[in-house]
């Protein structure tokens, strides 16, 4: 049996889980999340736990078992505490500004770049160079962070661009002088 899939998902106080058919709805202080699961996987709420079971030991069912349990765990964690990604902006004149509907970025282009905030995502900017992305949906927070990073990836010569906090960027040596 799957080592991850067989563990029940603990539901903390203040979070409610409702299962209707193959759709799971999780409500908590940080928001509400819904997700449809594969019809072969059975989900059940037992007390303050969610139990995920599979019908057989086929490879497909084993993979879906662990995946489904992890997705439910992420939904419960997101509704209870939320998720956060932090991006750093490096470069002369590179900066970010939080607007009510999204994020305004100056990334060395001839024009400012506006990134609209999807539903449930909140941007906060510190020192014009530290962008915090908060939300209850782990998948969406990660996707938004990746899309913002892709607007200007860190380049290898000077390291200018948008990177994840703590990300190591491999630096290359520039041109050497004439010999």
């Amino acid at each position: 049996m799957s080592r991850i899939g067989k563990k029940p998902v603990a539901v903390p106080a203040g979070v409610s889980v409702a299962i209707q058919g193959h759709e799971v709805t999780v409500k908590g202080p940080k928001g509400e999340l819904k997700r449809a699961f594969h019809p072969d996987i059975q989900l059940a709420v037992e007390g303050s736990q969610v139990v995920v079971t599979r019908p057989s030991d086929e490879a497909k069912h084993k993979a879906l078992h662990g995946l489904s349990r992890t997705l439910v765990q992420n939904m419960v964690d997101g509704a209870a505490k939320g998720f956060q990604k932090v991006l750093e902006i490096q470069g002369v004149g590179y900066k970010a500004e939080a607007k009510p509907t999204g994020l305004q970025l100056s990334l060395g282009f001839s024009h400012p770049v506006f990134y609209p905030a999807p539903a449930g995502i909140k941007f906060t900017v510190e020192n014009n160079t530290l962008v915090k992305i908060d939300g209850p949906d782990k998948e969406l927070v990660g996707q938004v962070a990746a899309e913002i990073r892709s607007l200007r990836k860190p380049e290898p010569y000077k390291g200018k661009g948008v990177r994840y906090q703590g990300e190591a960027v491999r630096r290359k040596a520039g041109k050497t002088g004439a010999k």
Side-chain angles (χ1 to χ4, degrees), residues 72-89:
V72 171
Q73 178 71 56
N74 287 340
M75 289 171 70
V76 169
D77 289 348
K81 297 178 283 195
F83 292 99
Q84 182 181 66
K85 288 269 187 182
V86 182
L87 298 174
E88 295 174 349
I89 300 175

Side-chain angles (χ1 to χ4, degrees), residues 4 9-10 16 30 35 38 41 44 54 57 65 68 70 73 84 96 103 107 115 121 127 156 163-164 168 175:
I4 293 171
V9 177
S16 64
K30 294 288 183 176
R35 172 170 247 138
H38 197 277
I41 299 298
R54 65 175 186 240
D57 283 341
H65 191 208
S68 300
T70 302
Q73 178 71 56
Q84 182 181 66
L103 194 64
L107 299 173
Y115 187 87
I121 296 294
N127 301 334
R163 64 178 76 182
Y164 296 110
K175 293 182 180 179

